[in-house]
Amino acid sequence: MMKQPLKVVSMLAGLLFVAPASALEIWHSNTVWANQGMCSATFMLDSGMTEVGPLEIGVELVNAQGVVVAIDTLNVDAFGDSEATRYQTSYLEGEAVCEDDLTVRFTSLTLVSGQNKKTLPLHELQIRAFKPFMLINQQEGKQR
């Protein structure tokens, strides 16, 4: 009897996201000026040690007046298959990212498996509030 490894691989590809609702967390960790009127926002994702992805995460950037100023997608490679790949980084870039007081609204979560896409419930994407360290310069005891 001939084995069918491609069928097994495609079946496993459909199981890449079998995490409990609290397993996939996302947070905004940084925004930098990327040159020529563009900025780049960094988003970190934590798989909770569960294999995840690849994913497309739909986002809207909403200004302080509540107006949607940009619609985009975070593309996330597969991750979480080991302790070394528990975390993944994704970037959102553009002119609108430079605006002050933006809110990022997540609008969709999609698992991408080859040509197939499966919409996942947004509640599977848990938002983590990022609290950066306080940074200070410690001066030496004597002046130079």
Coordinates of all heavy atoms in Angstrom, one line a residue, residues 38-122:
M38 N 7.4 58.3 6.7 CA 6.8 57.0 7.1 C 7.3 56.6 8.5 O 8.3 57.0 9.0 CB 7.3 55.9 6.1 CG 7.1 56.2 4.7 SD 5.3 56.1 4.3 CE 5.3 54.4 3.7
C39 N 6.4 55.9 9.2 CA 6.7 55.4 10.5 C 6.5 53.9 10.5 O 5.7 53.4 9.6 CB 5.9 56.0 11.6 SG 6.4 57.7 11.9
S40 N 7.1 53.2 11.4 CA 6.9 51.7 11.5 C 6.6 51.3 13.0 O 7.3 51.7 13.9 CB 8.2 51.0 11.1 OG 8.1 49.6 11.2
A41 N 5.4 50.7 13.1 CA 5.0 50.2 14.5 C 5.3 48.8 14.6 O 5.0 48.0 13.7 CB 3.5 50.5 14.6
T42 N 5.9 48.4 15.7 CA 6.3 47.0 16.0 C 5.2 46.4 16.9 O 4.8 46.9 17.9 CB 7.6 46.9 16.7 OG1 8.6 47.6 15.9 CG2 8.1 45.5 16.9
F43 N 4.7 45.2 16.5 CA 3.8 44.4 17.3 C 4.4 43.1 17.6 O 5.0 42.4 16.7 CB 2.5 44.2 16.5 CG 1.7 45.4 16.3 CD1 2.0 46.2 15.2 CD2 0.7 45.8 17.2 CE1 1.3 47.4 15.0 CE2 0.0 47.0 17.0 CZ 0.3 47.8 15.9
M44 N 4.3 42.7 18.8 CA 4.9 41.4 19.3 C 3.7 40.5 19.5 O 2.6 40.9 20.0 CB 5.7 41.6 20.6 CG 6.9 42.5 20.5 SD 8.1 41.8 19.4 CE 8.5 40.3 20.1
L45 N 3.9 39.2 19.2 CA 2.9 38.2 19.5 C 3.5 37.1 20.3 O 4.7 36.7 20.1 CB 2.4 37.6 18.1 CG 1.6 38.6 17.3 CD1 2.4 39.1 16.2 CD2 0.3 38.0 16.8
D46 N 2.8 36.5 21.2 CA 3.2 35.4 22.1 C 2.2 34.3 21.8 O 1.0 34.4 22.0 CB 3.1 35.9 23.5 CG 3.5 34.8 24.5 OD1 3.8 33.6 24.1 OD2 3.6 35.1 25.7
S47 N 2.8 33.2 21.4 CA 2.0 32.0 21.0 C 1.6 31.2 22.3 O 0.7 30.3 22.1 CB 2.8 31.1 20.1 OG 3.9 30.5 20.9
G48 N 2.2 31.5 23.4 CA 1.8 30.7 24.6 C 2.3 29.3 24.5 O 1.7 28.4 25.1
M49 N 3.3 29.1 23.7 CA 3.9 27.7 23.5 C 3.0 26.8 22.7 O 3.1 25.6 22.8 CB 4.3 27.1 24.8 CG 5.4 27.8 25.5 SD 7.0 28.0 24.7 CE 7.4 26.2 24.6
T50 N 2.2 27.4 21.8 CA 1.3 26.6 20.9 C 1.6 27.0 19.5 O 1.8 28.2 19.2 CB -0.2 26.9 21.2 OG1 -0.4 26.6 22.6 CG2 -1.1 26.1 20.3
E51 N 1.7 26.1 18.6 CA 2.0 26.4 17.2 C 0.9 27.2 16.6 O -0.3 26.8 16.7 CB 2.3 25.1 16.4 CG 2.8 25.3 15.1 CD 3.3 24.0 14.4 OE1 3.2 23.0 15.0 OE2 3.7 24.1 13.2
V52 N 1.3 28.3 16.0 CA 0.3 29.2 15.4 C 0.7 29.7 14.0 O 1.9 29.9 13.8 CB 0.2 30.5 16.3 CG1 -0.8 31.5 15.7 CG2 -0.2 30.1 17.7
G53 N -0.2 29.9 13.1 CA 0.0 30.6 11.9 C 0.3 29.7 10.7 O 0.2 28.5 10.8
P54 N 0.6 30.4 9.6 CA 0.7 31.9 9.4 C -0.6 32.6 9.5 O -1.7 32.0 9.2 CB 1.4 32.0 8.0 CG 1.1 30.7 7.3 CD 0.9 29.7 8.4
L55 N -0.6 33.9 9.9 CA -1.8 34.6 10.1 C -1.8 35.9 9.3 O -0.8 36.5 9.0 CB -1.9 35.0 11.6 CG -1.9 33.9 12.6 CD1 -1.8 34.5 14.0 CD2 -3.2 33.1 12.5
E56 N -3.0 36.4 9.1 CA -3.2 37.8 8.6 C -4.2 38.4 9.6 O -5.2 37.8 9.9 CB -3.9 37.8 7.2 CG -3.0 37.3 6.1 CD -3.8 37.2 4.8 OE1 -5.0 37.4 4.7 OE2 -3.1 36.9 3.8
I57 N -3.7 39.5 10.2 CA -4.5 40.2 11.2 C -4.9 41.6 10.6 O -4.1 42.4 10.3 CB -3.7 40.4 12.5 CG1 -3.2 39.1 13.0 CG2 -4.6 41.2 13.5 CD1 -2.3 39.2 14.2
G58 N -6.2 41.8 10.4 CA -6.7 43.0 9.8 C -6.7 44.1 10.9 O -7.1 43.8 12.1
V59 N -6.3 45.3 10.5 CA -6.2 46.4 11.5 C -6.8 47.7 10.8 O -6.7 47.9 9.6 CB -4.8 46.7 12.0 CG1 -4.2 45.5 12.7 CG2 -3.9 47.1 10.8
E60 N -7.3 48.5 11.7 CA -7.7 49.9 11.3 C -7.0 50.8 12.3 O -6.9 50.6 13.5 CB -9.2 50.1 11.5 CG -10.1 49.3 10.5 CD -11.5 49.5 10.7 OE1 -12.0 50.0 11.8 OE2 -12.3 49.2 9.7
L61 N -6.4 51.9 11.7 CA -5.9 52.9 12.5 C -6.9 54.0 12.7 O -7.4 54.6 11.7 CB -4.6 53.5 11.9 CG -3.4 52.5 11.7 CD1 -2.3 53.2 11.0 CD2 -3.0 51.9 13.0
V62 N -7.2 54.3 13.9 CA -8.3 55.3 14.2 C -7.6 56.5 15.0 O -6.9 56.3 16.0 CB -9.4 54.7 15.1 CG1 -10.5 55.6 15.4 CG2 -9.9 53.4 14.4
N63 N -7.9 57.7 14.5 CA -7.3 58.9 15.1 C -8.1 59.3 16.3 O -9.2 58.7 16.6 CB -7.1 60.1 14.1 CG -8.4 60.7 13.6 OD1 -9.5 60.5 14.2 ND2 -8.3 61.4 12.5
A64 N -7.7 60.4 17.0 CA -8.3 60.8 18.2 C -9.8 61.3 18.0 O -10.6 61.3 19.0 CB -7.5 61.9 18.9
Q65 N -10.1 61.6 16.8 CA -11.5 62.1 16.5 C -12.4 60.9 16.2 O -13.6 61.1 15.8 CB -11.5 63.1 15.4 CG -10.9 64.4 15.7 CD -9.4 64.4 15.8 OE1 -8.7 63.7 15.0 NE2 -8.8 65.1 16.8
G66 N -11.8 59.7 16.2 CA -12.6 58.5 15.9 C -12.7 58.2 14.4 O -13.5 57.3 14.0
V67 N -11.9 58.8 13.6 CA -11.9 58.6 12.1 C -10.9 57.6 11.8 O -9.7 57.6 12.2 CB -11.6 59.9 11.4 CG1 -11.5 59.7 9.9 CG2 -12.6 61.0 11.7
V68 N -11.3 56.6 10.9 CA -10.3 55.6 10.4 C -9.4 56.3 9.4 O -9.9 56.7 8.4 CB -11.1 54.4 9.8 CG1 -10.1 53.4 9.2 CG2 -12.0 53.7 10.8
V69 N -8.1 56.3 9.7 CA -7.2 57.0 8.8 C -6.4 56.0 7.9 O -5.7 56.4 7.0 CB -6.2 57.9 9.6 CG1 -7.0 59.0 10.2 CG2 -5.4 57.1 10.6
A70 N -6.4 54.7 8.3 CA -5.8 53.7 7.5 C -6.3 52.3 7.8 O -6.7 52.0 8.9 CB -4.3 53.7 7.7
I71 N -6.3 51.5 6.8 CA -6.7 50.1 6.9 C -5.6 49.2 6.4 O -5.1 49.5 5.3 CB -8.0 49.8 6.2 CG1 -9.2 50.6 6.7 CG2 -8.3 48.3 6.2 CD1 -10.5 50.5 5.9
D72 N -5.1 48.2 7.1 CA -4.0 47.4 6.7 C -4.1 46.0 7.3 O -5.0 45.7 7.9 CB -2.7 48.1 7.2 CG -1.5 47.9 6.2 OD1 -1.5 46.9 5.5 OD2 -0.6 48.8 6.2
T73 N -3.0 45.2 7.0 CA -3.0 43.9 7.5 C -1.6 43.6 8.0 O -0.6 43.9 7.4 CB -3.2 42.9 6.3 OG1 -4.5 43.2 5.7 CG2 -3.2 41.4 6.8
L74 N -1.6 43.0 9.2 CA -0.3 42.5 9.8 C -0.2 41.0 9.3 O -1.1 40.2 9.4 CB -0.4 42.4 11.3 CG -0.4 43.8 12.0 CD1 -0.6 43.5 13.5 CD2 0.8 44.5 11.8
N75 N 0.9 40.8 8.6 CA 1.2 39.4 8.1 C 2.2 38.8 9.1 O 3.3 39.3 9.3 CB 1.8 39.5 6.7 CG 0.8 40.0 5.7 OD1 -0.3 39.5 5.5 ND2 1.1 41.2 5.1
V76 N 1.8 37.6 9.6 CA 2.6 37.0 10.7 C 3.0 35.6 10.2 O 2.1 34.8 9.8 CB 1.7 36.9 12.0 CG1 2.6 36.2 13.1 CG2 1.2 38.2 12.4
D77 N 4.3 35.3 10.1 CA 4.7 34.0 9.8 C 4.4 33.0 10.9 O 4.2 33.4 12.0 CB 6.3 34.0 9.6 CG 6.7 34.8 8.3 OD1 5.9 34.9 7.4 OD2 7.8 35.3 8.4
A78 N 4.4 31.7 10.5 CA 4.1 30.7 11.5 C 5.2 30.7 12.6 O 6.3 31.0 12.4 CB 4.1 29.3 10.8
F79 N 4.7 30.5 13.9 CA 5.6 30.5 15.0 C 5.0 29.7 16.1 O 3.9 29.2 16.0 CB 5.9 31.9 15.5 CG 4.7 32.6 16.0 CD1 4.7 32.9 17.4 CD2 3.6 33.0 15.3 CE1 3.6 33.6 18.0 CE2 2.6 33.7 15.8 CZ 2.6 34.0 17.2
G80 N 5.8 29.5 17.2 CA 5.4 28.8 18.4 C 5.5 27.3 18.4 O 5.0 26.6 19.3
D81 N 6.3 26.7 17.4 CA 6.5 25.3 17.4 C 7.6 24.8 18.4 O 7.8 23.6 18.6 CB 6.8 24.8 16.0 CG 8.0 25.4 15.4 OD1 8.6 26.4 15.9 OD2 8.5 24.8 14.4
S82 N 8.3 25.8 19.1 CA 9.2 25.4 20.1 C 9.4 26.6 21.0 O 8.9 27.7 20.7 CB 10.6 25.1 19.4 OG 11.2 26.3 18.9
E83 N 10.2 26.5 22.1 CA 10.4 27.5 23.0 C 11.2 28.7 22.3 O 10.9 29.9 22.6 CB 11.3 27.1 24.2 CG 10.7 27.5 25.5 CD 11.5 26.9 26.7 OE1 11.2 25.7 27.0 OE2 12.3 27.6 27.2
A84 N 12.0 28.3 21.4 CA 12.9 29.3 20.7 C 12.0 30.2 19.7 O 12.4 31.3 19.4 CB 14.0 28.6 19.9
T85 N 10.9 29.7 19.3 CA 10.0 30.5 18.4 C 8.7 30.9 19.0 O 7.7 31.1 18.3 CB 9.8 29.7 17.1 OG1 9.0 28.5 17.4 CG2 11.1 29.3 16.4
R86 N 8.7 31.0 20.3 CA 7.4 31.3 21.0 C 6.9 32.7 20.6 O 5.7 32.9 20.5 CB 7.7 31.3 22.5 CG 6.5 31.8 23.3 CD 6.7 31.7 24.8 NE 5.6 32.2 25.5 CZ 5.3 32.0 26.8 NH1 6.2 31.4 27.5 NH2 4.2 32.5 27.4
Y87 N 7.8 33.6 20.3 CA 7.4 35.0 20.0 C 7.6 35.3 18.5 O 8.5 34.7 17.9 CB 8.2 36.0 20.8 CG 8.0 35.8 22.3 CD1 8.9 35.1 23.1 CD2 6.9 36.4 22.9 CE1 8.7 34.9 24.4 CE2 6.7 36.2 24.3 CZ 7.6 35.5 25.0 OH 7.4 35.3 26.4
Q88 N 6.8 36.2 18.0 CA 6.9 36.6 16.6 C 6.7 38.1 16.6 O 6.0 38.7 17.4 CB 5.9 35.9 15.7 CG 5.9 36.3 14.3 CD 7.2 35.8 13.6 OE1 8.1 36.6 13.7 NE2 7.1 34.7 12.9
T89 N 7.4 38.8 15.6 CA 7.3 40.2 15.4 C 6.6 40.5 14.1 O 6.8 39.8 13.1 CB 8.7 40.9 15.4 OG1 9.3 40.5 16.6 CG2 8.6 42.4 15.3
S90 N 5.7 41.5 14.1 CA 5.1 42.0 12.8 C 5.1 43.5 12.8 O 5.1 44.1 13.9 CB 3.7 41.5 12.7 OG 3.1 41.7 11.5
Y91 N 5.1 44.1 11.6 CA 5.3 45.5 11.5 C 4.1 46.1 10.7 O 3.6 45.5 9.8 CB 6.6 45.9 10.8 CG 7.8 45.3 11.5 CD1 8.3 44.1 11.2 CD2 8.4 46.0 12.6 CE1 9.4 43.6 11.9 CE2 9.5 45.6 13.2 CZ 10.0 44.3 12.9 OH 11.1 43.8 13.6
L92 N 3.7 47.3 11.1 CA 2.7 48.1 10.4 C 3.4 49.4 10.0 O 3.9 50.1 10.9 CB 1.5 48.4 11.3 CG 0.3 49.1 10.7 CD1 -0.3 48.2 9.6 CD2 -0.7 49.3 11.8
E93 N 3.5 49.7 8.7 CA 4.2 50.8 8.2 C 3.4 51.7 7.3 O 2.5 51.3 6.6 CB 5.5 50.4 7.5 CG 6.4 49.5 8.4 CD 7.6 48.9 7.6 OE1 7.4 48.5 6.5 OE2 8.6 48.8 8.3
G94 N 3.7 53.0 7.4 CA 3.0 54.0 6.6 C 3.0 55.4 7.2 O 3.4 55.6 8.3
E95 N 2.5 56.3 6.4 CA 2.4 57.7 6.9 C 1.4 57.8 8.0 O 1.7 58.6 9.0 CB 1.9 58.6 5.7 CG 2.9 58.8 4.6 CD 2.4 59.7 3.5 OE1 1.5 60.5 3.8 OE2 2.8 59.5 2.4
A96 N 0.3 57.2 8.0 CA -0.7 57.3 9.1 C -0.2 56.8 10.4 O -0.6 57.2 11.4 CB -2.0 56.5 8.7
V97 N 0.8 55.9 10.4 CA 1.3 55.3 11.6 C 2.1 56.4 12.4 O 2.2 56.3 13.6 CB 2.3 54.2 11.3 CG1 2.9 53.6 12.5 CG2 1.6 53.1 10.5
C98 N 2.5 57.5 11.8 CA 3.2 58.6 12.4 C 2.2 59.5 13.2 O 2.7 60.3 14.0 CB 3.9 59.5 11.4 SG 5.2 58.6 10.5
E99 N 0.9 59.4 13.0 CA 0.0 60.3 13.7 C 0.0 60.1 15.2 O 0.2 59.0 15.7 CB -1.4 60.1 13.2 CG -1.6 60.7 11.8 CD -3.1 60.8 11.4 OE1 -3.9 61.0 12.4 OE2 -3.4 60.7 10.2
D100 N -0.2 61.2 16.0 CA -0.3 61.0 17.4 C -1.7 60.5 17.8 O -2.6 60.6 17.1 CB -0.1 62.4 18.1 CG 1.3 62.9 17.9 OD1 2.2 62.1 17.9 OD2 1.5 64.2 17.9
D101 N -1.7 59.9 19.0 CA -3.0 59.5 19.6 C -3.8 58.5 18.8 O -5.0 58.6 18.7 CB -3.8 60.6 20.0 CG -3.2 61.5 21.1 OD1 -2.5 61.0 21.9 OD2 -3.4 62.7 21.0
L102 N -3.1 57.6 18.1 CA -3.8 56.5 17.3 C -4.3 55.4 18.2 O -3.7 55.1 19.2 CB -2.8 56.0 16.3 CG -2.6 56.8 15.0 CD1 -1.6 56.1 14.1 CD2 -3.8 57.1 14.3
T103 N -5.4 54.8 17.8 CA -5.8 53.6 18.3 C -5.8 52.5 17.2 O -6.2 52.8 16.1 CB -7.3 53.7 18.8 OG1 -7.3 54.7 19.9 CG2 -7.8 52.4 19.3
V104 N -5.2 51.4 17.5 CA -5.2 50.3 16.5 C -6.4 49.3 16.9 O -6.5 48.8 18.0 CB -3.9 49.5 16.6 CG1 -3.9 48.3 15.6 CG2 -2.7 50.4 16.2
R105 N -7.3 49.2 15.9 CA -8.4 48.3 16.1 C -8.2 47.1 15.3 O -8.0 47.2 14.1 CB -9.7 49.1 15.7 CG -11.0 48.3 15.9 CD -12.2 49.2 15.8 NE -12.2 50.1 14.6 CZ -12.9 51.2 14.6 NH1 -13.6 51.6 15.7 NH2 -12.9 52.0 13.6
F106 N -8.3 45.9 15.9 CA -8.1 44.6 15.2 C -9.5 44.3 14.6 O -10.5 44.2 15.4 CB -7.6 43.5 16.1 CG -6.2 43.9 16.6 CD1 -6.0 44.3 17.9 CD2 -5.1 43.8 15.8 CE1 -4.7 44.6 18.4 CE2 -3.9 44.2 16.2 CZ -3.7 44.5 17.5
T107 N -9.6 44.0 13.3 CA -10.8 43.8 12.7 C -11.0 42.3 12.2 O -12.2 41.9 12.0 CB -11.0 44.7 11.5 OG1 -9.9 44.5 10.6 CG2 -11.0 46.2 11.9
S108 N -9.9 41.6 12.0 CA -10.1 40.2 11.5 C -8.8 39.4 11.9 O -7.7 40.0 12.1 CB -10.3 40.2 10.0 OG -9.1 40.7 9.3
L109 N -9.0 38.1 12.0 CA -7.9 37.2 12.3 C -8.1 36.0 11.4 O -9.2 35.3 11.4 CB -8.0 36.7 13.8 CG -7.0 35.7 14.3 CD1 -5.6 36.3 14.1 CD2 -7.3 35.4 15.7
T110 N -7.1 35.8 10.5 CA -7.3 34.7 9.5 C -6.1 33.8 9.5 O -4.9 34.3 9.4 CB -7.4 35.4 8.1 OG1 -8.5 36.3 8.1 CG2 -7.7 34.4 7.0
L111 N -6.3 32.5 9.5 CA -5.3 31.5 9.4 C -5.1 31.3 7.9 O -6.0 31.0 7.1 CB -5.7 30.2 10.1 CG -4.7 29.0 9.9 CD1 -3.4 29.3 10.6 CD2 -5.4 27.8 10.5
V112 N -3.8 31.3 7.4 CA -3.5 31.1 6.0 C -2.8 29.8 5.9 O -1.7 29.6 6.5 CB -2.6 32.3 5.5 CG1 -2.3 32.1 4.0 CG2 -3.3 33.6 5.7
S113 N -3.3 28.9 5.1 CA -2.7 27.6 4.9 C -2.6 27.4 3.3 O -3.6 26.9 2.7 CB -3.5 26.5 5.5 OG -3.0 25.2 5.3
G114 N -1.5 27.8 2.7 CA -1.4 27.7 1.3 C -2.3 28.6 0.6 O -2.3 29.8 0.9
Q115 N -3.2 28.1 -0.2 CA -4.2 28.9 -0.9 C -5.5 29.1 -0.1 O -6.4 29.9 -0.4 CB -4.6 28.3 -2.3 CG -3.4 28.3 -3.2 CD -2.9 29.7 -3.6 OE1 -3.6 30.6 -3.6 NE2 -1.6 29.7 -4.0
N116 N -5.6 28.3 1.0 CA -6.8 28.3 1.9 C -6.6 29.3 3.0 O -5.6 29.5 3.5 CB -7.0 26.9 2.5 CG -7.2 25.9 1.4 OD1 -7.9 26.1 0.4 ND2 -6.7 24.7 1.6
K117 N -7.8 30.0 3.3 CA -7.8 30.9 4.4 C -9.0 30.5 5.3 O -10.1 30.2 4.8 CB -8.0 32.3 3.9 CG -6.7 32.8 3.2 CD -6.9 34.3 2.8 CE -5.6 34.8 2.1 NZ -5.6 36.2 1.9
K118 N -8.8 30.6 6.6 CA -9.8 30.3 7.6 C -10.0 31.4 8.5 O -9.0 31.8 9.2 CB -9.5 29.0 8.3 CG -10.5 28.6 9.4 CD -10.1 27.4 10.1 CE -11.2 27.1 11.2 NZ -10.7 26.1 12.2
T119 N -11.1 32.0 8.6 CA -11.4 33.1 9.5 C -11.5 32.5 10.9 O -12.2 31.6 11.2 CB -12.7 33.9 9.1 OG1 -12.5 34.4 7.8 CG2 -13.0 35.0 10.1
L120 N -10.8 33.1 11.8 CA -10.8 32.7 13.2 C -11.5 33.8 14.0 O -11.5 35.0 13.7 CB -9.4 32.6 13.8 CG -8.5 31.6 13.0 CD1 -7.1 31.6 13.5 CD2 -9.1 30.2 13.2
P121 N -12.2 33.4 15.2 CA -12.8 34.4 16.0 C -11.8 35.4 16.6 O -10.7 35.0 17.0 CB -13.5 33.6 17.1 CG -13.1 32.2 16.9 CD -12.3 32.1 15.7
L122 N -12.1 36.7 16.6 CA -11.2 37.7 17.1 C -10.9 37.5 18.6 O -9.9 37.9 19.1 CB -11.8 39.1 16.9 CG -11.5 39.7 15.6 CD1 -12.3 41.0 15.4 CD2 -10.0 40.0 15.4

